[in-house]
């Protein structure tokens, strides 16, 4: 039995990120690329939607304090929700807050260039949960984009 390409594996937040995550910046819409010509013509900006769930995609930059490789410690997570998810925690430093994700999924990907390839993951979540809640079953579904820079996290 083969696992199809692009399969999203549900995963508990604590299993994926035993040291937690720190959100840097704000949640922003994941908009489709718009060329200079499109902008000049005042074409409306279109937010991406997840091909499996039909939900809107939102991006958030996070840092994994448990990642020993500095270049792989920060990455994007795709949030799938109809309305913009709001973090449940307060900032500990300007622009930084500890977060926990609910409905987390991981999609394996190969990242890197040339002979320097490595295993990475595209992480998707359905939203935020109260930090420290360790809710059971934090594994629902998660989505992501087709771009190589989407939510990549090295193993």
């Amino acid at each position: 039995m083969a696992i199809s390409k692009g399969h999203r594996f549900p995963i508990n937040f604590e299993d994926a990120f035993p040291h937690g995550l720190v959100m840097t910046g704000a949640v922003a819409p994941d908009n489709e690329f718009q060329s200079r010509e499109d902008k000049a013509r005042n074409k409306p900006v279109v937010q991406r939607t997840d091909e499996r769930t039909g939900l809107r995609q939102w991006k958030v930059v996070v840092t994994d304090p448990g990642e020993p490789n500095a270049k792989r410690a920060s990455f994007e997570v795709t949030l799938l929700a109809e309305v913009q998810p709001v973090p449940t925690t307060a900032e500990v430093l300007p622009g930084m807050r500890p977060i926990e994700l609910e409905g987390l999924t991981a999609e394996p990907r190969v990242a890197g260039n040339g002979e320097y390839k490595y295993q990475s993951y595209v992480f998707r979540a359905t939203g935020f949960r109260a930090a420290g809640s360790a809710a059971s079953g934090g594994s629902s579904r998660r989505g992501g984009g087709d771009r190589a820079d989407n939510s990549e996290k090295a193993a």
Side-chain angles (χ1 to χ4, degrees), residues 5-6 24 32 34 51 54 57 69 71 112 114 119-120 129 145:
K5 180 180 178 183
T24 56
E32 292 182 3
Q34 202 174 27
E51 65 277 356
Q57 292 186 175
N69 186 329
K71 291 183 179 182
Q119 175 71 56
S120 70
R129 69 179 190 208

Side-chain angles (χ1 to χ4, degrees), residues 85-135:
V86 177
T88 58
T89 55
E91 290 184 342
V92 292
L93 290 171
M96 299 180 77
R97 65 181 76 220
I99 60 165
E100 291 187 13
L101 301 170
E102 64 183 7
L104 187 65
T105 63
E107 179 183 332
R109 290 272 172 99
V110 176
N113 294 316
E115 62 185 77
Y116 302 103
K117 294 192 186 295
Y118 56 92
Q119 175 71 56
S120 70
Y121 297 91
V122 175
F123 288 103
R124 296 178 181 90
T126 56
F128 298 101
R129 69 179 190 208
S133 68

Side-chain angles (χ1 to χ4, degrees), residues 2-38:
I3 298 173
S4 62
K5 180 180 178 183
H7 182 75
R8 300 172 184 178
F9 293 92
I11 186 168
N12 289 325
F13 178 81
E14 296 76 20
D15 294 335
F17 307 106
H19 298 283
L21 287 177
V22 177
M23 182 173 125
T24 56
V27 177
D30 182 14
N31 295 327
E32 292 182 3
F33 175 77
Q34 202 174 27
S35 68
R36 259 189 247 162
E37 293 80 22
D38 290 343

